[in-house]
């Protein structure tokens, strides 16, 4: 295959893939051409050489952020543009000091913003790589999982259902292998692949289309069925999907095309409209209003609004001074315009979001989309799977009911893999009697009218193998459990000097957790698969019928050790196995042996009753069955049915061959022979079995699941369990972790009935009936993928904000439908690609951590936005009202100078705002309702606070300026030079300006500490603290970044006041002495006013809560709670 992006003269040496058309060659020839051994794979040195030759396996995107685009983004910002305009104007009027300071501010803002955003972009890229599709390859004779970006041509890749094809592959082996190639071909149906197919390379007869190359698997395709092995033939931009990406980037000119009218003609009006839209799109991208996360777009729009406000403020300044073109007036206008711009906002936002993403990584959460940072804090409902998320995913067989004997229980085991740990107990009674007896022991107070539970008879098994050998029915159940099983359980060993191998005492297992649990149970009796399939007297596997989600069972045909008999062993869902059984192995009439009886309705009811009893204790039940096999059980109908299925599967191939012949394109395909005709039809095998018994598997809840569910309830977030398990099992686990409340008798019957449903019950309801339910189900058992989608839709119709977990291919629709899709780190690549965040530890508690981190990030953004905007409002008010202070020539006098304004914007406000971005979670972060995603950070409360704090600061600042100037000074405003230099008539003005500057600086610093909580008192952040009078000191030190930022702001005031030249020439103020008393009094008044405003807010919200019927928590001052939320 040729290099699509080859640059002439850039490479001379030939490559193995040059001019390679892999679909035209047999797999053996392709492997030989790529110089790789199928069994051993590539060596490490070959991999390194080819990585240097081909580069990373990545498809480039025109949306990828480069350093140039990030730098342009820092410049193309409305806030920075105001600074640039101020710089140009200042330099144009030869105000070198002010122009130089503004220039420095612009450069610092751009450089710091660029560094932070570039770092954040690299962090997000690395996180995306962590969550990106992986690939299982064979290298250096070992199978390993690597990042798909590390693949090179020649790598041997193993694929299974749910994988995303990581590169273009020539298939070597396939087993019922189908791939969804709709992304490439647009064909919605999966394509059945055939590794043995081979196509003609005669170019005169036409080349075979991508969709017809059934011996290839293309990058980004999704494996919907089966498994395969393939060799990489193309990577990165040389793949078929890379070619599409390259053509899109080449064609993507970001120019709107004019739309033709109904007659198909393009009018001049359409051209003009397309041109106008192109211009507006470009301006939008330039200003950031149509790119980035929703929060970033909102802030970009706010920046444009502030830009126009700044222009209006500057015009007001000019108008107040009769539009005189003197340098003083122009500087005043520039200063007023700059005062409204929070220049450090973009930098602080970037740092805060980057910190939020990094903090989530430490909590085992990978953020794939920045949108989810804001969305996580708004989640109202979490829909979670059970197995491996709420539970540990390390299953243990706790109970087994053998109808011909009784019930076996496994007690006191804390290692899911070790069959030597735990106690085996036998009860000569049914499972439902055992469960009833155990429940009676837990609660000795028998309810009136109920029959007493049977007495629990127990016998401890000291020698399990001898016990199993001497029992009539258990060996058959253990044979089925061990042989109809793909899991491996083994004791780890290591080499030693004395012996070749030495046991470590540790046990390990590979395979499905459910099969591991069953295999471990067989090993407890020394009846495991290795024992039965090794040595002279071993069982031999003849045929396997793998587990299929449509039939929910698995079967194998095994040949007995003597080679005379064959037996079928089956395990699966109880209902599905019962459908395949016609008899049951039970005790004989004497009670000392076994007999096979007809499986009538009474026995079926008995089996289902035992299953329900086991499920009520949280056990997941599977059934086991067996029968003797011979080919006489195959009927002609079974053969005909199997042939019809094979014909349906081959239909696509027939169509392909027919099309090829009719069109004469010469795309001749060499087909393999039909599948092994010696394998009996599955329908014949899975019929007429004998029921052997039940096994009950327990997946213990994670220790942190119950506390996490309780914390979610406290945070007004409901948890829903959507699981494929039996309703009894799901209900038991849901009660254990607290999803289902204990106060069920307190709730109405219709509410209780709607809390627990099966998927069949939920799916048969119409949307109107679902909407009429008093509560959406907290538990949905036997859940199907479509059920999850309907659940999300139901939540959305109730205006709720939902998070959904998933790990399988079928979960991807619900993950995309959810507001926040949460994939499991051990899940399929398809699920990860559809998700917003990925949990690397598959732990339900990590969802709680993610929500907490999302709320913290949201709170911190809200804190520093309010801090910065309040400061800007204060400065704008001071300057606009200060227009009234005019000297003898009629020129307005600066209450605060232009450089002072920039100092407050960048230093005094910037660093504390950055510190607020590092604020740790509030004590009540998970004890408050979710915020509204529609409103976001710009709530009515924020706007009111911004105005109130701005007015308080402006009033006190102007009061201090007026008191120094007129109260204790001579009231002399100068003769037109007090905005530029310190003259004899300007000394009072310079001292008053310095006092106002210090007041505004300290107000800003004190406001940063007040922003730790928007409603709580600064001196009472923890109402139940044991040290209430000194608690505020601990709260101040809790965030060291904020503490030292504020301290830096306090300390740096003194050098710029008392260092000569800097004070009078640069900042346009002079040192103060007795005026410090005014500063301290004004600062005290500011703190009192801020505390009074917070108190008024608390009173207001308490009254609002009482009207709404909410009860306020004793430990919180600023949040409200619905008492029913704690129940439901």
């Amino acid at each position: 295959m040729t290099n699509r992006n080859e640059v002439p003269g850039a490479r001379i040496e030939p490559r193995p893939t040059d001019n390679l058309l892999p679909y035209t060659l047999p797999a053996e020839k392709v492997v030989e051409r790529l110089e790789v051994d199928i069994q051993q794979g590539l060596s490490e040195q070959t991999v390194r050489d080819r990585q240097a030759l081909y580069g990373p396996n990545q498809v480039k995107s025109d949306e990828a952020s480069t350093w140039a685009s990030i730098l342009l983004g820092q410049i193309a910002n409305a806030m920075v543009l105001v600074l640039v305009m101020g710089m140009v104007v200042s330099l144009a009027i030869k105000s070198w000091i002010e122009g130089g300071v503004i220039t420095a501010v612009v450069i610092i803002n751009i450089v710091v913003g660029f560094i932070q955003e570039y770092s954040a972009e690299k962090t997000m890229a690395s996180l995306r790589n962590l969550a990106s599709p992986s690939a299982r390859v064979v290298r250096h004779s070992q199978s390993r999982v690597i990042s798909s970006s590390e693949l090179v041509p020649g790598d041997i890749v193993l694929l299974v259902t749910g994988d995303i094809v990581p590169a273009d592959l020539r298939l070597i082996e396939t087993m019922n292998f189908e791939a969804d190639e709709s992304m490439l071909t647009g064909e919605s149906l999966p394509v059945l692949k055939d590794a043995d197919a081979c196509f003609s390379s005669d170019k005169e007869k036409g080349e075979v289309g991508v969709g017809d190359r059934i011996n290839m698997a293309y990058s980004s395709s999704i494996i919907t069925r089966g498994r395969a092995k393939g060799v990489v033939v193309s990577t990165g931009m040389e793949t078929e999907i890379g070619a599409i990406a390259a053509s899109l980037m080449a064609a993507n000119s970001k120019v709107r095309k004019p739309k033709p009218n109904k007659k198909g003609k393009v009018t001049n009006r359409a051209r003009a409209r397309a041109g106008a839209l192109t211009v507006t799109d470009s301006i939008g991208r330039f200003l950031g209003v149509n790119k980035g996360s929703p929060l970033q777009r909102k802030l970009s729009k706010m920046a444009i609004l502030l830009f126009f406000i700044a222009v209006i403020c500057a015009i007001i300044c000019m108008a107040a001074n009769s539009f005189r073109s003197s340098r003083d007036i122009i500087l005043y206008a520039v200063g007023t315009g700059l005062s409204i711009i929070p220049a450090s906002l973009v930098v602080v936002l970037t740092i805060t979001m980057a910190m939020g993403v990094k903090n989530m990584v430490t909590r085992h959460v990978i953020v794939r989309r920045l949108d989810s940072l804001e969305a996580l804090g708004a989640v109202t409902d979490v829909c979670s799977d059970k197995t491996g998320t709420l539970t540990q995913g390390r299953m243990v067989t706790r109970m087994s009911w053998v109808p011909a004997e009784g019930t076996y229980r496994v007690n006191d085991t804390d290692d899911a893999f070790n069959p030597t740990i735990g106690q085996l107990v036998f009860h000569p009674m049914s499972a439902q009697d055992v469960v009833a007896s155990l429940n009676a022991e837990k609660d000795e107070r028998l309810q009136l009218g109920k029959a007493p539970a049977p007495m629990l008879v127990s016998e401890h098994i000291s020698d399990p193998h001898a016990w199993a050998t001497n029992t009539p029915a258990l060996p058959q159940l253990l044979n089925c459990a061990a042989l109809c099983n793909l899991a491996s359980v083994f004791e780890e060993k290591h080499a030693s000097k004395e012996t070749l191998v030495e046991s470590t005492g540790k046990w390990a297992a590979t395979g499905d957790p459910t099969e591991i649990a069953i295999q471990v149970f067989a090993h407890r009796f020394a009846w495991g698969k290795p024992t039965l399939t090794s040595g002279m007297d071993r069982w031999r596997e003849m045929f396997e019928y793998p587990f299929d989600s449509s039939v929910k069972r698995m079967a194998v045909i095994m040949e007995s050790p003597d080679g005379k008999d064959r037996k079928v062993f089956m395990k699966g869902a109880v209902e599905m196995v019962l459908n395949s059984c016609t008899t049951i192995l039970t005790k004989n009439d004497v009670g000392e042996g076994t007999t096979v009886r007809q499986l009538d309705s009474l026995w079926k009811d008995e089996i289902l009753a035992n299953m329900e009893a086991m499920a009520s204790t949280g056990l997941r039940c599977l059934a086991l069955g067996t029968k003797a096999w011979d080919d006489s059980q195959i009927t002609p109908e079974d053969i005909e049915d199997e042939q019809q299925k094979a014909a349906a599967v081959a239909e696509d191939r027939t169509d392909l061959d027919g099309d090829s012949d009719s069109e004469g394109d010469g795309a001749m395909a060499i087909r393999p022979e039909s599948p092994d005709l010696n394998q009996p039809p599955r329908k014949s095998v899975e019929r007429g079995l004998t029921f052997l018994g039940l096994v009950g598997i327990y997946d213990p809840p994670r220790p942190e699941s119950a506390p996490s569910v309780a914390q979610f309830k406290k945070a007004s977030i409901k948890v829903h369990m959507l699981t494929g398990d039996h309703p009894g099992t799901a209900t038991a686990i849901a009660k254990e972790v607290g999803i289902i409340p204990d106060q069920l008798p307190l709730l109405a019957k219709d509410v209780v009935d709607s809390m627990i449903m099966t998927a069949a019950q939920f799916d048969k309801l119409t949307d109107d009936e679902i909407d009429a339910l008093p509560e959406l189900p907290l538990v949905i058992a036997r859940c199907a993928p479509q059920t999850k989608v309907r659940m999300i839709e139901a939540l959305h119709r109730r205006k709720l904000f939902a998070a959904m977990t998933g790990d399988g291919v079928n979960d991807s629709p619900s993950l995309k439908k959810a507001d926040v899709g949460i994939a499991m780190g051990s899940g399929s690549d398809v699920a990860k690609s559809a998700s917003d965040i990925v949990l690397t530890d598959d732990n339900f508690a990590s969802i709680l951590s993610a929500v907490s981190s999302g709320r913290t990030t949201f709170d911190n953004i809200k804190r520093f936005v309010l801090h910065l905007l309040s400061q800007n409002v204060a400065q704008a008010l001071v300057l606009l009202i200060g227009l009234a202070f005019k000297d003898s020539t009629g020129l307005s006098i600066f209450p605060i100078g232009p450089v002072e304004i920039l100092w407050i914007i960048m230093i005094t406000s910037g660093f504390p705002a950055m510190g607020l971005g590092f604020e740790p979670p509030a004590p009540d972060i998970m004890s408050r309702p979710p915020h509204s995603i529609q409103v976001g950070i710009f709530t009515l409360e924020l706007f009111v606070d911004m105005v109130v704090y701005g007015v308080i600061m402006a009033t006190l600042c102007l009061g201090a300026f007026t008191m120094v100037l007129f109260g204790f000074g001579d009231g002399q405003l100068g003769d037109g030079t007090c905005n530029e230099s310190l003259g004899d008539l300007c000394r009072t003005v310079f001292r008053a300006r310095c006092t106002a500057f210090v007041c505004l600086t300290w107000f800003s610093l004190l406001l940063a500490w007040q922003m730790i909580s928007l409603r709580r008192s600064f001196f009472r952040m923890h109402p139940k603290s044991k040290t209430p009078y000194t608690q505020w000191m601990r709260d101040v030190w809790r965030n060291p970044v904020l503490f030292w930022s504020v301290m830096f702001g306090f300390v740096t005031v003194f050098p710029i006041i008392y260092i000569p030249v800097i004070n009078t020439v640069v900042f346009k103020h002079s040192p103060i002495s007795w005026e410090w008393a005014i500063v301290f009094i004004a600062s005290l008044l500011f703190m009192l006013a801020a505390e009074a405003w917070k108190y008024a807010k608390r009173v207001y919200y308490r009254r609002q809560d009482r009207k709404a019927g909410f009860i306020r928590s004793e430990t919180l001052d600023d949040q409200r709670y619905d008492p029913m939320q704690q129940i439901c």
Side-chain angles (χ1 to χ4, degrees):
M1 184 172 292
T2 58
N3 182 0
R4 297 183 176 92
N5 298 318
E6 184 176 345
V7 178
R11 179 180 50 80
I12 300 177
E13 68 277 7
R15 303 184 307 173
T17 57
D18 287 346
N19 301 316
L20 176 64
L21 298 174
Y23 58 90
T24 65
L25 299 174
E28 297 79 9
K29 293 290 185 181
V30 176
V31 169
E32 180 182 346
R33 175 76 176 270
L34 294 173
E35 302 172 359
V36 60
D37 184 276
I38 297 178
Q39 302 300 324
Q40 298 182 10
L42 296 175
S43 66
E44 298 296 338
Q45 183 59 47
T46 304
V47 170
R48 286 192 291 269
D49 293 342
R50 294 192 179 181
Q51 284 177 342
L53 187 60
Y54 290 94
N57 177 34
Q58 294 176 342
V59 176
K60 298 177 182 178
S61 170
D62 58 344
E63 296 294 329
S65 296
T66 62
W67 67 267
S69 63
I70 294 175
L71 181 60
L72 179 62
Q74 294 301 314
I75 300 173
N77 181 284
M79 300 182 191
V80 175
L81 291 179
V82 173
L83 293 175
V84 173
M85 290 173 62
M87 175 189 70
V88 172
V89 171
S90 299
L91 295 177
I93 62 175
K94 298 182 180 180
S95 182
W96 307 118
I97 294 177
E98 287 77 3
V101 172
I102 298 175
T103 302
V105 169
V106 170
I107 293 174
I108 292 172
N109 200 58
I110 292 175
V111 171
V112 173
F114 170 77
I115 293 173
Q116 291 298 329
E117 187 165 345
Y118 187 71
S119 175
E121 183 64 30
K122 290 177 66 178
T123 300
M124 288 301 298
S126 64
L127 294 180
R128 282 191 289 267
N129 288 336
L130 287 176
S132 65
S134 55
R136 179 171 292 277
V137 300
V138 177
R139 284 183 179 176
H140 203 60
S141 302
Q142 294 180 345
S143 174
R144 65 186 70 174
V145 177
I146 64 171
S147 171
S148 60
S149 62
E150 300 176 12
L151 284 175
V152 296
D155 264 323
I156 304 298
V157 178
L158 308 178
L159 298 172
V160 296
T161 303
D163 286 350
I164 294 179
V165 182
D168 286 358
L169 309 178
R170 173 58 167 93
L171 297 174
I172 301 172
E173 300 174 5
T174 56
M175 177 64 69
N176 299 325
F177 186 69
E178 294 183 358
D180 179 1
E181 296 180 342
S182 56
M183 183 179 293
L184 277 173
T185 63
E187 175 60 47
S188 59
L189 295 177
V191 179
L192 180 66
K193 296 294 183 177
D194 182 357
D196 294 330
C198 189
F199 298 90
S200 170
S201 60
D202 190 346
K203 293 186 178 180
E204 294 182 359
K205 295 182 179 181
E207 186 177 349
V208 181
V210 172
D212 298 336
R213 300 172 190 173
I214 59 174
N215 55 7
M216 298 286 294
Y218 288 103
S219 177
S220 300
S221 300
I222 301 172
I223 309 308
T224 58
R225 183 183 176 209
R227 56 184 175 83
K229 179 188 291 186
V231 59
V232 176
V233 294
S234 298
T235 59
M237 296 301 290
E238 297 185 13
T239 62
E240 291 295 333
I241 201 72
I244 295 175
S247 62
L248 287 176
M249 285 189 290
N252 188 11
S253 61
K254 297 180 180 179
V255 175
R256 296 270 193 131
K257 293 183 179 180
K259 294 182 179 180
N261 57 20
K262 295 180 180 180
K263 297 181 180 180
K265 295 182 179 180
V266 178
T267 62
N268 292 331
R269 182 178 179 182
R271 293 188 182 93
R273 183 179 180 183
L277 290 174
T278 301
V279 172
T280 55
D281 287 346
S282 300
I283 295 174
R285 285 191 299 271
F286 183 77
L287 297 177
V289 295
N290 54 11
K291 66 178 183 179
S293 69
L295 179 59
Q296 289 171 326
R297 292 196 292 269
K298 288 179 183 177
L299 291 176
S300 296
K301 292 176 182 177
M302 185 194 72
I304 295 174
L305 175 63
L306 293 178
F307 173 84
F308 287 108
I309 293 176
V311 173
I312 293 172
C313 289
I315 293 173
I316 292 173
C317 289
M318 296 295 293
N321 290 273
S322 304
F323 291 98
R324 284 190 255 181
S325 59
S326 66
R327 191 169 68 170
D328 291 355
I329 300 303
I330 296 175
L331 277 179
Y332 202 124
V334 170
T336 307
L338 295 179
S339 68
I340 203 66
I341 298 299
S344 58
L345 179 60
V346 176
V347 175
V348 176
L349 176 65
T350 303
I351 294 173
T352 302
M353 297 188 81
M355 287 302 302
V357 171
K358 290 181 180 178
N359 288 337
M360 287 192 182
V361 174
T362 63
R363 297 186 175 194
H364 310 289
V365 179
I366 296 175
V367 177
R368 298 187 70 251
R369 297 181 178 91
L370 276 178
D371 300 22
S372 59
L373 276 177
E374 185 179 4
L376 280 167
V379 168
T380 61
D381 292 73
V382 174
C383 301
S384 174
D385 191 10
K386 177 183 76 70
T387 304
T389 305
L390 286 164
T391 60
Q392 297 181 20
R394 294 170 67 96
M395 301 183 185
V396 179
T397 300
R398 285 286 179 86
M399 187 180 294
S400 178
W401 174 55
V402 185
E405 295 182 16
T407 303
Y408 292 87
R409 289 175 57 224
V410 180
N411 298 328
D412 304 327
T413 177
D414 57 358
D415 189 337
F417 298 157
N418 193 338
T420 64
I421 296 178
Q423 188 179 54
L424 276 168
V425 182
F426 174 69
H427 306 284
M429 53 202 307
S430 67
Q432 57 182 330
D433 288 341
V434 172
V435 172
S437 300
L438 293 174
N439 289 338
E441 288 182 359
K442 292 180 181 178
D443 188 359
E444 296 179 355
R445 297 168 298 173
L446 298 177
Q447 297 182 15
L448 186 63
K450 283 193 173 183
M455 182 178 295
L456 188 65
V457 179
S458 305
E459 184 175 352
H460 295 277
I461 301 175
S462 57
D463 187 348
H465 184 70
W467 175 282
T469 304
N470 295 319
T471 54
L474 182 61
Q476 296 190 58
L477 182 136
L478 294 177
N479 283 341
C480 184
L483 296 174
C484 187
N485 199 314
L486 302 180
S488 299
V489 179
F490 51 91
E491 186 177 9
E492 293 182 343
K493 302 179 184 298
H494 66 83
S496 63
K497 295 181 180 179
E498 292 80 9
T499 60
L500 293 178
V501 292
E502 185 178 81
S503 298
T504 64
K506 296 182 179 180
W507 287 75
T510 59
D512 180 79
T514 301
E515 293 197 324
I516 291 174
I518 298 174
Q519 191 67 251
V520 169
F521 180 71
H523 274 69
R524 292 185 184 278
F525 296 90
W527 219 277
K529 192 172 186 177
T531 304
L532 299 178
T533 58
S534 60
M536 296 294 296
D537 297 332
R538 70 177 186 270
W539 290 81
R540 296 173 178 83
E541 180 176 326
M542 306 304 295
F543 302 103
E544 176 189 324
Y545 300 85
F547 177 86
D548 190 316
S549 59
S550 62
V551 296
K552 295 184 179 179
R553 57 184 178 240
M554 170 191 177
V556 293
I557 298 179
M558 305 291 295
E559 186 178 74
S560 62
D562 57 13
K564 297 180 180 180
D565 301 314
R566 291 184 177 183
K567 298 204 73 174
V568 175
F569 295 108
M570 175 193 287
K571 75 170 187 300
V574 178
E575 298 90 343
M576 306 307 290
V577 173
L578 278 181
N579 292 337
S580 297
C581 293
T582 55
T583 56
I584 181 173
L585 185 67
T586 66
K587 295 178 183 179
N588 59 22
D589 295 333
V590 180
E592 295 180 355
T594 62
T595 186
V596 176
R597 302 180 189 274
Q598 193 69 25
L599 186 62
D600 55 20
S601 59
L602 292 177
W603 271 113
K604 287 186 178 181
D605 292 342
E606 177 72 10
I607 293 170
L608 293 176
N610 279 274
M611 179 194 70
E612 294 287 349
M614 295 168 67
S616 68
T617 64
L619 301 183
R620 178 188 177 196
C621 294
L622 296 177
L624 305 177
T626 187
K627 73 172 181 179
W629 172 257
D630 60 70
D631 292 341
S632 64
Q633 300 177 33
I634 303 175
T635 65
E637 291 79 8
D638 296 337
I639 297 176
E640 183 179 353
D641 184 62
E642 198 77 7
Q643 289 174 344
Q644 289 177 353
K645 291 181 179 178
V649 170
E651 185 176 351
D652 289 340
R653 299 183 185 179
T654 304
D655 292 342
L656 175 62
D657 289 340
D659 292 342
S660 300
D661 293 340
S662 62
E663 295 175 12
D665 59 2
M668 300 297 295
I670 304 171
R671 305 294 186 190
E673 295 181 358
S674 300
D676 186 2
L677 298 178
N678 294 323
Q679 180 164 332
R682 184 164 191 160
K683 191 174 182 180
S684 302
V685 174
E686 297 181 344
R687 180 177 59 214
L689 278 77
T690 298
F691 181 84
L692 296 176
L694 301 175
V695 290
I697 300 171
Y698 182 65
D699 185 9
R702 294 178 183 266
E704 58 272 21
S705 290
S708 298
V709 171
Q711 191 62 58
F712 270 125
K713 288 185 177 181
K714 195 175 180 182
S716 300
I717 298 174
K718 288 186 179 180
V719 179
H720 306 261
M721 178 195 290
L722 278 61
T723 177
D725 281 342
H726 184 274
T729 305
T731 302
I733 295 297
K735 287 181 178 178
E736 191 169 349
V737 300
I739 292 177
I740 298 177
D742 296 328
Q743 303 94 330
L744 286 180
L746 301 178
L747 303 176
K749 183 179 182 302
D750 57 342
V751 176
V752 175
D753 292 341
S754 67
M755 281 187 174
I756 304 169
M757 287 186 175
T758 63
Q761 293 171 332
F762 186 78
D763 288 339
K764 75 178 182 180
L765 298 176
T766 65
D767 289 348
D768 291 338
E769 289 173 332
I770 292 175
D771 295 340
L773 293 174
E775 290 288 336
L776 288 176
L778 296 179
V779 175
I780 299 182
R782 299 301 192 200
C783 192
Q786 185 57 34
T787 309
K788 294 184 177 183
V789 174
R790 290 202 71 196
M791 183 66 171
I792 294 295
E793 292 173 345
L795 289 166
H796 286 168
R797 289 196 298 271
R798 297 190 180 208
K799 307 300 181 184
L800 298 173
F801 206 75
M804 171 68 76
T805 68
D807 55 4
V809 177
N810 292 336
D811 291 330
S812 57
S814 59
L815 290 175
K816 289 183 178 179
K817 196 79 173 178
D819 300 292
V820 180
I822 305 173
M824 302 296 110
S826 61
S828 67
D829 291 337
V830 177
K832 292 178 186 177
S833 298
S835 68
D836 299 296
I837 64 175
V838 177
L839 306 184
T840 58
D841 60 350
D842 295 4
N843 196 333
F844 182 78
S846 296
I847 304 177
L848 183 70
S849 299
V851 172
S852 176
S853 296
R855 289 188 174 191
T856 301
T857 302
F858 180 84
D859 280 0
N860 290 346
I861 293 172
K862 193 172 182 179
R863 288 185 181 107
F864 71 68
V865 167
L866 177 56
H867 175 259
L868 291 173
L869 294 181
S870 298
Q871 181 64 52
N872 292 128
V873 170
Q875 290 183 116
L877 289 175
V878 167
L879 289 170
L880 290 175
I881 297 173
L883 290 170
F885 298 107
K886 294 191 176 183
D887 60 16
S888 58
T889 65
L891 292 177
S892 297
I893 300 299
F894 287 124
I896 48 177
V899 178
E900 291 175 329
I901 294 170
L902 292 171
W903 181 268
I904 294 172
I905 290 174
M906 293 302 299
I907 306 299
T908 305
S909 296
F911 287 110
M914 193 178 301
L916 287 170
F918 286 84
E919 186 66 22
D924 64 336
I925 191 69
M926 292 303 293
S927 301
R928 65 174 74 157
H931 66 260
S932 171
I933 194 66
Q934 288 80 15
V935 177
I937 65 171
F938 295 106
T939 61
L940 177 62
E941 181 185 0
L942 182 137
F943 284 117
V944 174
D945 283 349
M946 177 183 70
V947 174
V948 170
Y949 288 122
V951 170
I952 292 172
M953 289 191 287
T955 301
L956 292 173
C957 182
L958 288 171
F961 181 82
T962 304
M963 188 168 290
V964 173
L965 187 60
F966 298 106
F968 298 96
D970 54 11
Q972 181 60 254
L973 292 172
D975 56 358
T977 61
C978 292
N979 285 335
E980 293 188 4
S981 60
L982 178 60
D984 292 336
L985 298 177
C986 298
R987 297 189 183 277
T988 306
V989 171
F990 270 53
R991 295 176 72 91
R993 186 180 293 148
C994 184
T995 305
F997 167 69
V998 176
C999 284
L1000 200 53
T1001 298
W1002 282 20
F1003 294 164
S1004 178
L1005 299 172
L1006 294 173
L1007 179 64
W1009 273 334
Q1010 287 286 355
M1011 291 298 98
I1012 294 176
S1013 175
L1014 303 188
R1015 296 182 190 171
R1016 286 180 176 172
S1017 170
F1018 171 71
F1019 302 100
R1020 199 169 179 263
M1021 295 287 184
H1022 297 81
K1024 288 195 172 183
S1025 173
K1026 296 180 180 178
T1027 56
Y1029 299 106
T1030 58
Q1031 181 62 42
W1032 66 273
M1033 299 180 185
R1034 296 182 177 88
D1035 292 334
V1036 164
W1037 180 247
R1038 197 167 66 117
N1039 183 353
V1041 178
L1042 177 59
F1043 176 82
W1044 290 114
S1045 297
V1046 173
M1047 289 297 103
F1048 176 77
F1050 278 122
V1051 171
T1052 51
V1053 165
F1054 296 97
I1056 61 179
I1057 291 177
Y1058 295 106
I1059 295 179
V1061 180
I1062 291 179
N1063 51 13
T1064 58
V1065 177
V1066 177
F1067 282 87
K1068 303 294 191 293
H1069 59 224
S1070 60
I1072 57 175
S1073 55
W1074 59 267
E1075 291 88 352
W1076 280 108
I1078 295 177
V1079 172
F1080 282 110
I1081 293 172
S1083 299
L1084 178 61
L1085 291 174
F1086 170 75
M1087 291 296 288
L1088 292 175
E1091 291 293 327
W1093 172 243
K1094 286 186 175 183
Y1095 176 76
K1097 287 171 61 177
R1098 291 195 296 272
V1099 171
Y1100 170 78
Y1101 283 108
R1102 284 195 187 101
R1103 291 178 178 175
Q1104 292 296 109
D1105 290 346
R1106 291 192 196 102
K1107 292 179 181 179
F1110 286 95
I1111 298 175
R1112 182 164 296 282
S1113 169
E1114 295 179 358
T1115 60
L1116 297 178
D1117 295 328
D1118 58 349
Q1119 299 300 335
R1120 58 188 187 177
Y1121 299 89
D1122 181 355
M1124 288 304 296
Q1125 178 65 38
Q1126 304 305 316
I1127 296 177
C1128 297

